[in-house]
Amino acid sequence: MLTFTVTLTNIDAFDKPINFAFLCPSYVERLDVPDFSTSIETTRALNCEPAGTLAGGASATFEMRLAIPSGASPGTAGLVWQLGQRGPAAKAQFLIRL
């Protein structure tokens, strides 16, 4: 299991608050693991209700858990986390160990 956090910050130019309970964004996770010929991609929705309303300039941190396939070989793996289908994205590499 890969556990990591994602922090979202409201950078609205007019400090407009974001009501996460009403406008909960989806996200895409793409996992590239050693010895797999294709990426594993999932689309999910954030657990927004506990975040409430995010004021301008404020941040909310979400804990993510992503299952590593049991057949994954040890080695360097890659993760892409993207807000929605076209939103900002972050990339990271991590090591799978047995």
Side-chain angles (χ1 to χ4, degrees):
M1 183 69 65
L2 176 64
T3 303
F4 60 99
T5 59
V6 171
T7 300
L8 301 180
T9 303
N10 181 352
I11 58 169
D12 185 83
F14 301 103
D15 289 334
K16 181 180 177 182
I18 298 172
N19 182 344
F20 272 124
F22 181 68
L23 295 171
C24 190
S26 64
Y27 64 93
V28 177
E29 294 172 316
R30 188 172 60 248
L31 182 63
D32 295 308
V33 294
D35 295 340
F36 276 61
S37 60
T38 60
S39 297
I40 301 163
E41 187 171 300
T42 57
T43 300
R44 298 186 173 136
L46 285 168
N47 180 14
C48 291
E49 193 170 327
T53 299
L54 198 60
S59 298
T61 300
F62 298 86
E63 181 177 276
M64 303 286 147
R65 293 187 186 135
L66 182 61
I68 305 293
S70 60
S73 297
T76 302
L79 170 68
V80 175
W81 193 96
Q82 181 174 354
L83 188 61
Q85 293 293 325
R86 295 187 175 105
K91 297 179 183 181
Q93 290 188 326
F94 60 96
L95 186 61
I96 296 176
R97 298 182 189 155
L98 290 178

